[in-house]
Amino acid sequence: MKNYSLKTLAFRTLTTTARLHARKKRLVSNEVITVLNLHRVAPNTGSTYNALAPALFNELIVYLKKEFYICLFSELEQIQSHRPKLILSFDDGYKDFIDYAVPVLDKHKVRVNQNIIPYSVETGLPPVNVLLQDFIGKAPIELLKKIPLEIATDGDRHEVGRAASFAIKYLPAAQFVLQREVLLNFLLNYPEFLCASAMTKQDILDIAAVHEIGAHSYEHLSMESQHEDYFLEDLQKCKTYFAEDLSLECNIYAFPNGSATKKQVQQAKEQGFDHILLVGDKYSPSRSEVFNRFTFDASSMDEAKYKSFGRRALIT
């Protein structure tokens, strides 16, 4: 007899055909949208920043095509379907999206939303908290103790990585930029322990005819921690970058870390962003300008099914 973990048994219990069928009917009848928020699709590199395995991503796409109508934000109002609508929304613009996700999406003819960070496109560097999590997962303990950040480096590495990420990603702009410079001066000396990289302009242009490209802020700061002038400038910089550097329209704004005030959401609307993306792990009305997203990762198909159907979120 197989020795299943409690987590595995829980996912199997919560993904019975009867339960998922009942949720599916309610999603359709209540006219709500499921938006799954993904980040990296890549083989296990040892980073504490978890990526979705390519084989599991392929299995997930096959499953989602059967159970949902996968669409884009720009298509929501035109689509009529007896299946619940679902959007796959990627953040950060990692190079592994090109290497591992796009071939799967092309094979199954699925289109997704990808939200890029202009700073990362221009520098080739992903958000510094992600580089930090790469380093913490792979570097020897002696080097972890040298990280120029006040964090405990003993214990479980995934916990250390999460704590390090949290320590920097909610800083106000002036402190964040200074801390980023200090960390990059340290981390870039050890490229052998780093694995994430960003898409190039050409990568973005190559996929823009198929996939829906949005902005994930200009340099990935948590906006609730920023002054109003900084946020308004960020919105304009994203618009300008898309128009002048990419020759693309920019009408999607995904708040980094889901961090946004009600006023900032309204200001993004006023600046011409038609689709505002947050997190929150809940469903969104079918006719909406603001979308909550379900943070998505998984290590098994049962877990992926459970999270695809919104965990235990209320369907209202």
Side-chain angles (χ1 to χ4, degrees), residues 206-249:
D206 288 344
I207 65 171
V210 176
H211 302 290
E212 194 171 53
I213 310 300
H216 193 35
S217 81
Y218 193 85
E219 55 181 341
H220 203 259
L221 273 69
S222 295
M223 292 304 168
E224 284 181 286
S225 303
Q226 312 313 322
H227 293 299
E228 181 174 356
D229 289 347
Y230 176 91
F231 175 64
L232 292 175
E233 183 181 0
D234 185 90
L235 294 175
Q236 189 54 56
K237 286 170 70 175
C238 288
K239 286 280 189 182
T240 300
Y241 185 83
F242 270 65
E244 297 182 0
D245 291 75
L246 298 175
S247 298
L248 296 174
E249 184 179 6

Side-chain angles (χ1 to χ4, degrees), residues 287-302:
R287 292 174 176 82
S288 178
E289 295 173 305
V290 181
F291 294 86
N292 300 297
R293 298 182 293 173
F294 290 94
T295 302
F296 188 92
D297 63 354
S299 57
S300 71
M301 197 56 209
D302 284 329

